[in-house]
Amino acid sequence: MQLNLVVLPGDGVGPEVTAQAVRVLREVANVYGHSFCFEEHTIGGVAIRETGSPLPPVTLDACLRADAVLLGAIGSPEFDHLSSPQKPEAGLLQLRRALGGFANLRPVSSYAALAGTSPLRTEIVDGANILFVRELLGGLYFGEPRGITSSNGTSAAFNTMRYSVSEIERVARVAFAAAMKRRRKVTSVDKANVLETSQLWRQTVSRIATEYPQIELDHLYVDTAAMHLITNPKRFDVILTENLFGDILSDEAAVIAGSLGMLASGTVGGAIDLYEPVHGSAPDIAGRGIANPLGAIASAAMLLRHTMHLENEAADIEAAIENVLDAGYRTRDIAASSAERMVNTPEMGQLVTEALAEAADRRHAYHAV
Ligand code: IPM
Ligand code: MN
């Protein structure tokens, strides 16, 4: 299998974690006999420093020609003073729009080895397994008009939350289709007691649900959903929600996995799929080699599964991550006790690479029998 991948390391810890994801992908190519090509480009703060633009045309062109894009992280406090369209984040939002993926899949599950690391009690998180389907191209992130006005010496700022029926329909179908392969339950999250966009959202999702009679659908207000995520995460299978609610709730849900550094994401439905860990650029720990690369590595597994349909390879990466955690290896963010074996970013990448080679060996041995 041939794969042309564009890698956008980006800012902060982005380059450190994507390097480990690429290392694991190289090992996949090696042990399964695939041919993976990697082309690296700049985006975000590093691109502003080099070219003046957060999404240089060479980067965008390369992404549009790729089979998929793997991104590290975006954002740096150095650019806090710039206006929204000039910030590093604008590069990511332009890229998301250009690639066209509207459904951002964020799986969150509790790893057995990490259940004790969560600030939530083990019996609450143990066995939790949620898939967020976050709408990624609409809502407040992209709604027009937006801006800041000043008159008579005072300023006001405004954003627009807008959703069309077709934007809701297409992401709802992704959520229902995903639920068909899971526990067949969709929870749609909105604020329909206050917002018109949410009223349209709820109506539309309920109508699309009639196409999937096997699926159980319920609706929650976003404030209630935020509470249930912490008090009873096992009540959820697929959570379908709009852009900003999904951004907020998926960070909250990271406490179920033990750390934001564990979470992966993939954005599908457009011309080119985009994969990125859920965590940000973490400028406070950047360059120190202590970031957790597992979210980026798990994003690479999602890429193999969703874009390349390489299910065995994806499952072997995920098994390798679990094996390394079961063996007690931890980056700083997921370390609970001094008994665990503390490793840095490259060591964690190396351990997963080795565990992957072993998983692949077992698979080959099994097929040879
Ligand atoms: C995420 C991030 C981005 C978002 C930022 C960096 C623009 O927080 O992917 O969750 O808000 O979508
Ligand atoms: Mn976020």
Side-chain angles (χ1 to χ4, degrees):
M1 186 81 83
Q2 173 85 31
L3 166 68
N4 293 308
L5 187 65
V6 165
V7 180
L8 307 176
D11 300 320
V13 298
E16 298 166 58
V17 298
T18 47
Q20 300 315 312
V22 168
R23 173 196 286 214
V24 170
L25 284 172
R26 284 194 200 284
E27 184 67 6
V28 169
N30 183 22
V31 298
Y32 293 91
H34 300 304
S35 160
F36 294 171
C37 296
F38 304 91
E39 190 180 324
E40 220 175 272
H41 290 279
T42 62
I43 188 169
V46 56
I48 298 177
R49 264 178 243 119
E50 274 181 25
T51 71
S53 157
L55 181 63
V58 273
T59 297
L60 179 58
D61 287 349
C63 291
L64 289 170
R65 282 185 277 102
D67 293 320
V69 178
L70 179 67
L71 182 132
I74 294 279
S76 160
E78 179 190 337
F79 304 105
D80 280 352
H81 64 283
L82 297 179
S83 69
S84 296
Q86 293 171 315
K87 281 191 198 299
E89 287 79 358
L92 176 57
L93 297 180
Q94 281 169 36
L95 178 70
R96 286 176 179 170
R97 181 146 60 180
L99 300 185
F102 53 82
N104 179 225
L105 312 177
R106 298 188 160 188
V108 179
S109 60
S110 135
Y111 288 88
L114 296 184
T117 312
S118 172
L120 301 177
R121 285 200 307 278
T122 305
E123 69 266 26
I124 291 182
V125 293
D126 192 27
N129 185 322
I130 304 173
L131 176 67
F132 282 88
V133 179
R134 169 190 175 193
E135 199 292 326
L136 205 65
L137 290 185
L140 286 165
Y141 278 66
F142 293 95
E144 298 284 348
R146 61 188 292 163
I148 301 180
T149 56
S150 314
S151 69
N152 304 327
T154 68
S155 297
F158 55 99
N159 291 90
T160 301
M161 189 188 264
R162 181 190 302 277
Y163 272 105
S164 68
V165 168
S166 62
E167 286 172 308
I168 303 166
E169 284 174 345
R170 63 185 187 175
V171 73
R173 288 201 174 95
V174 171
F176 286 111
M180 285 300 290
K181 298 189 187 155
R182 295 172 49 100
R183 301 191 304 281
R184 301 195 170 184
K185 182 170 176 197
V186 172
T187 301
S188 176
V189 171
D190 63 37
K191 189 70 185 172
N193 50 344
V194 178
L195 303 175
E196 284 79 2
T197 41
S198 283
Q199 289 150 18
L200 186 68
W201 182 278
R202 195 174 273 225
Q203 249 175 42
T204 307
V205 171
S206 298
R207 179 167 46 73
I208 297 299
T210 63
E211 297 170 15
Y212 300 84
Q214 306 92 327
I215 302 252
E216 181 197 336
L217 169 68
D218 68 345
H219 302 272
L220 284 183
Y221 296 138
V222 62
D223 46 357
T224 313
M227 186 190 66
H228 283 317
L229 263 180
I230 297 301
T231 54
N232 187 14
K234 282 182 249 188
R235 84 178 285 298
F236 295 107
D237 178 16
V238 173
I239 296 181
L240 165 64
T241 192
E242 67 89 41
N243 205 343
L244 182 64
F245 297 162
D247 179 48
I248 297 168
L249 293 179
S250 57
D251 267 35
E252 184 195 354
V255 300
I256 295 164
S259 163
L260 194 49
M262 297 298 300
L263 298 195
S265 92
T267 303
V268 299
I272 312 285
D273 299 336
L274 171 65
Y275 295 86
E276 29 178 338
V278 173
H279 65 73
S281 57
D284 51 323
I285 60 161
R288 293 168 52 195
I290 59 175
N292 183 347
L294 295 178
I297 293 170
S299 300
M302 289 186 77
L303 186 160
L304 295 181
R305 173 174 295 121
H306 292 279
T307 302
M308 305 303 291
H309 307 291
L310 296 173
E311 176 56 37
N312 289 347
E313 288 81 339
D316 284 353
I317 294 179
E318 288 161 355
I321 291 174
E322 288 210 34
N323 289 346
V324 168
L325 293 174
D326 289 343
Y329 295 104
R330 302 284 187 270
T331 44
R332 215 183 54 160
D333 56 313
I334 48 176
S337 78
S338 54
E340 294 163 340
R341 309 180 191 180
M342 192 83 100
V343 295
N344 64 24
T345 313
E347 284 165 347
M348 186 56 106
Q350 176 65 33
L351 285 161
V352 175
T353 306
E354 286 164 10
L356 171 80
E358 284 162 26
D361 275 352
R362 276 196 301 276
R363 189 182 288 283
H364 289 141
Y366 175 80
H367 283 294
V369 171

